Amino acid sequence: MLHTIQADFYRLFRSKGFWITEAILILLILAGVIFGATAHFGVNTESTLPQATEVWTGFKALTNYSASISMTIFFTIIIVTLVLGTDLTQNLYKNSLAYGVSRTSYYFAKSAVILTIALFQFLVVYGFVFLLATLCNGMGVMPEHFVSHFGLTFLLQFLSTLAWVSITSFLLYASQSITLAFVGYFVGNLFLSLPALFFKDIEIFHYLNLEFQYSMVQSTTAMVNTLVIALGFILVFGFLGLATFKHKDL
């Protein structure tokens, strides 16, 4: 299992696709800091995106960029497909299984790699946003209760990302198609956003698309609903992914 994880990271860091993906992400972050705007994928059911006229200081950049959770998720999914998708589409997983690695061990090794990738993405994104904004416009004033509020935001966004990754990973295991995984993300994002547009009075529907941001952290309802939905998706699609892979014909 450990050798599988090491091999994944070795191949990932030697992959041009990984560095190109990270370069594009950094350019988008750079544009956001310079122009004071966020990028967004999918349907925005809330009107809490920061205005483009705002100057992003260090702390302001962290709170504002939290509205770009969908972009962080999307680029994380791209990297996941480089690791998991390549293995499944090119049948590379058969090499590991041939050397005595069980399907369950292989699945959890890949899950450990994916979890590490998601955490790495968040640390890089928020670290670079803060550093760049501080260099350009100064650190700014730390908002009241910033450490606890941003910590909760980070945790819930991280779980939300793992939820989406669990969904797309299940699609990869089920179809062995990278294209279907991306289609599943965009269609799923649209599908989960529609209930909030049509049934605005039903509170929980506003959190189905898992786009939690810093401005929502003061609402206990928002945090609890996001946490429950994210953990639900992780458990359900994590189990479905494992069950699909264990019973899949090789």
Side-chain angles (χ1 to χ4, degrees):
M1 182 174 175
L2 181 60
H3 292 300
T4 301
I5 295 174
Q6 291 174 331
D8 280 337
F9 282 113
Y10 177 80
R11 287 190 291 111
L12 180 64
F13 290 130
R14 291 177 64 87
S15 166
K16 292 182 180 179
F18 170 75
W19 295 110
I20 292 173
T21 300
E22 293 299 279
I24 294 173
L25 177 58
I26 288 175
L27 287 176
L28 289 173
I29 293 173
L30 179 62
V33 172
I34 292 175
F35 298 107
T38 58
H40 183 83
F41 289 96
V43 179
N44 177 33
T45 59
E46 307 293 334
S47 57
T48 55
L49 295 178
Q51 300 298 315
T53 55
E54 290 183 319
V55 175
W56 285 22
T57 58
F59 290 111
K60 193 70 174 177
L62 290 178
T63 59
N64 282 353
Y65 194 81
S66 70
S68 292
I69 174 62
S70 60
M71 188 172 75
T72 305
I73 291 172
F74 178 71
F75 278 89
T76 301
I77 289 174
I78 292 177
I79 297 178
V80 167
T81 60
L82 292 176
V83 175
L84 179 60
T86 302
D87 265 24
L88 295 176
T89 57
Q90 297 182 12
N91 295 323
L92 299 180
Y93 61 91
K94 292 183 179 181
N95 296 331
S96 297
L97 300 182
Y99 282 101
V101 177
S102 69
R103 297 195 188 196
T104 301
S105 295
Y106 176 89
Y107 181 86
F108 282 109
K110 289 295 180 182
S111 297
V113 172
I114 289 170
L115 186 149
T116 305
I117 289 172
L119 181 59
F120 173 79
Q121 282 293 89
F122 269 85
L123 293 175
V124 168
V125 164
Y126 278 121
F128 186 74
V129 164
F130 180 77
L131 179 61
L132 184 60
T134 298
L135 291 175
C136 292
N137 302 309
M139 189 175 295
V141 179
M142 179 187 294
E144 189 177 1
H145 307 302
F146 174 79
V147 175
S148 59
H149 286 181
F150 184 74
L152 288 170
T153 301
F154 188 98
L155 174 62
L156 289 171
Q157 289 192 338
F158 179 64
L159 291 175
S160 297
T161 301
L162 292 182
W164 275 114
V165 168
S166 297
I167 295 172
T168 53
S169 295
F170 161 69
L171 293 174
L172 284 171
Y173 281 113
S175 67
Q176 295 187 211
S177 169
I178 292 176
T179 300
L180 183 60
F182 282 110
V183 171
Y185 169 68
F186 285 110
V187 173
N189 193 296
L190 176 62
F191 178 77
L192 292 176
S193 299
L194 288 178
L197 296 176
F198 290 105
F199 304 98
K200 296 183 179 180
D201 295 332
I202 302 178
E203 183 77 14
I204 197 169
F205 284 170
H206 291 272
Y207 310 103
L208 283 176
N209 62 1
L210 297 168
E211 293 196 7
F212 191 88
Q213 53 186 277
Y214 184 85
S215 60
M216 300 163 64
V217 78
Q218 297 184 32
S219 169
T220 302
T221 300
M223 289 193 294
V224 171
N225 285 336
T226 301
L227 178 63
V228 170
I229 293 171
L231 290 177
F233 280 143
I234 291 170
L235 292 175
V236 170
F237 285 96
F239 173 78
L240 288 175
L242 176 59
T244 300
F245 184 62
K246 288 183 68 174
H247 295 91
K248 195 174 186 65
D249 292 332
L250 299 180

